[in-house]
């Protein structure tokens, strides 16, 4: 682990206790009394993807001065360490000299996870610290850094570079933007793409799969059961988001289902089905979906995955694993705006208490805590796509409503997010078609 604090003069600590601080891991530093002349900024770092990092992956966390919009961010303190045998969430701890902190200035955290010098995950929103009532303990949720696709269809990771300048000061909870960034995950094939095949089935001759993956990270999947013992079964369709590892080879399809569907891209360009932990299946049967020459829209009607009861009984919707479409925000009806690609929506997945959605311009992720009717969102993060001003305003309002949420109420097919007794936003259950 390397600790670095940047000032005009070289870093110097006095006293044995300070020297020992430099030898401790960030987790140990967080529990150790810092020197009197330094302030500790600490917390945990995680990401949503179920991807294991190699032992030489490096976590870097910086405290930056982002007060000046026309000047590159100044780094006040930095911690850096290899993963080793650990995986996320990882504890971090950064020491910042008290003399470098100006109460009138604005400071923010930036974190990256790199492998072989290439950034794989990075903070995608603003995390204020130190001043203006911002906390000094912050949990960071990192977003996958997309790969840059070449016109010929090849895909290479974005080259490692010095930390990018922090975004200009903005209202709290506004994600940072970068016109060069995209919300699409990495892929090792040209998109859009459709893969099809017949996979094994315990109670039928097989299940015909057709999955179409889009460049914006969305997918639609159709399952058709062949030769069932109970007679014909209507094709079932689902929609959701897909993600990939940093090589674009391990694919996870995530909808409202409790467990993602995992596939591995083979050397022949097929998607090979994996088990629910992303490991190879111990079977000699065919588990490959092969790419088709024509893109299939996959538009059959179906109930949302993981919520068949709601489809059968439209009088009741469940909070978890339901596709919730935003219809009202701050007491005002919400309509699609020019340039808006998809509706604002959220899904509270059962697995790992994860929040997934779309905030108007960017993909949205985070965590939630539910206790009866009490509901709290945390670790909100979004992708870094450049938004039009109107969509930027909508996104900020959506994030503000989620941050302020303290409770929830469901009336039939409508979900209300509450801040105390005040309705912050209303959503309607959508059954995917």
């Amino acid at each position: 682990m390397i600790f670095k604090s940047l000032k005009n003069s070289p870093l110097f600590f006095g006293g044995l206790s300070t020297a020992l601080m430099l030898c401790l891991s960030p987790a140990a530093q967080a529990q150790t009394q810092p020197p009197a002349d330094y302030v500790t900024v600490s917390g945990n770092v995680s990401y949503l993807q179920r991807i294991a990092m190699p032992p030489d992956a490096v976590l870097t966390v910086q405290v930056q001065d982002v007060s000046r919009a026309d000047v590159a961010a100044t780094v006040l303190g930095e911690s850096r360490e290899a993963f080793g045998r650990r995986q996320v969430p990882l504890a971090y701890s950064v020491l910042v000299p008290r003399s470098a902190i100006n109460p009138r200035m604005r400071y923010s955290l930036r974190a990256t996870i790199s492998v072989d010098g290439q950034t794989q995950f990075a903070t995608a929103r603003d995390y204020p610290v130190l001043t203006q009532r911002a906390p000094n303990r912050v949990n960071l949720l990192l977003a996958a850094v997309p790969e840059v696709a070449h016109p010929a269809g090849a895909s290479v990771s974005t080259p490692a570079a010095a930390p990018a300048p922090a975004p200009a000061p903005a209202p709290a909870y506004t994600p940072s933007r970068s016109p060069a960034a995209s919300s699409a995950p990495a892929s090792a094939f040209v998109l859009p793409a459709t893969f099809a095949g017949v996979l094994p089935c315990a109670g039928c001759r097989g299940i015909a799969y057709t999955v179409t993956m889009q460049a914006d990270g969305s997918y639609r999947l159709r399952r058709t059961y062949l030769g069932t013992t109970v007679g014909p079964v209507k094709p079932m369709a689902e929609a959701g988001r897909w993600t990939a590892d940093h090589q674009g080879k391990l694919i996870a399809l995530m909808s409202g289902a409790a467990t993602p569907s995992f596939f591995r891209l083979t050397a022949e360009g097929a998607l090979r089905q994996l088990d629910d932990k992303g490991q190879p299946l111990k079977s000699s049967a065919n588990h490959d979906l092969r790419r088709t020459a024509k893109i299939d829209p996959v538009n059959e009607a179906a109930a949302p995955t993981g919520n068949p009861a709601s489809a059968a009984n439209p009088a009741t919707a469940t909070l978890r694993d339901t596709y919730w479409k935003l219809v009202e925000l701050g007491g005002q009806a919400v309509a699609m705006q020019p340039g808006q690609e998809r509706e604002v929506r959220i899904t509270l997945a059962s697995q790992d208490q994860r929040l997934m959605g779309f905030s108007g311009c960017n993909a949205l992720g985070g965590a939630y805590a539910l206790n009866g009717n009490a509901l709290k969102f945390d670790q909100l993060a979004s992708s870094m796509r450049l938004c039009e001003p109107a969509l930027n305003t909508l996104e900020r309002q959506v994030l503000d409503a989620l941050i302020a949420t303290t409770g929830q109420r469901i009336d039939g097919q409508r979900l209300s997010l509450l801040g105390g007794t005040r309705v912050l936003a209303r959503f309607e259950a959508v059954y995917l078609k």
Side-chain angles (χ1 to χ4, degrees), residues 45-105:
V45 174
S46 60
Y47 50 79
L48 295 178
Q49 288 81 354
R50 296 180 61 180
I51 301 172
M53 288 290 106
D56 59 348
V58 176
L59 168 65
T60 302
V61 183
Q62 296 179 338
V63 176
Q64 300 182 344
D65 183 344
V66 295
S67 304
R68 301 173 180 85
D70 56 345
V71 178
T74 301
V75 179
L76 276 68
E78 177 184 277
S79 70
R80 183 181 301 169
E81 67 171 339
F83 270 55
R85 296 183 179 180
R86 301 168 301 152
Q87 295 296 330
V88 296
L90 291 183
Y92 74 90
S93 180
V94 182
L95 293 182
V96 178
R98 290 184 184 274
S99 60
I101 303 172
N102 186 333
R104 295 176 296 177
M105 298 301 183

Side-chain angles (χ1 to χ4, degrees), residues 24-42:
L24 297 175
S25 67
Q29 286 188 32
Q31 300 177 3
T32 304
Q33 186 67 26
D37 294 337
Y38 289 81
V39 175
T40 300
V41 178
S42 62

Side-chain angles (χ1 to χ4, degrees), residues 144-216:
V145 175
E147 294 185 340
V148 179
H150 287 236
S155 180
V156 297
S157 297
T158 305
Y173 315 119
T174 300
S176 57
R177 306 273 184 245
S178 169
S182 168
S183 61
S187 70
F189 45 85
V190 179
L191 295 169
T194 294
F195 296 84
V198 178
L199 302 184
C201 172
C204 63
R205 294 202 309 267
I207 306 175
Y209 275 72
T210 303
V211 57
T212 297
M213 301 165 59
Q214 301 290 343
D216 64 357

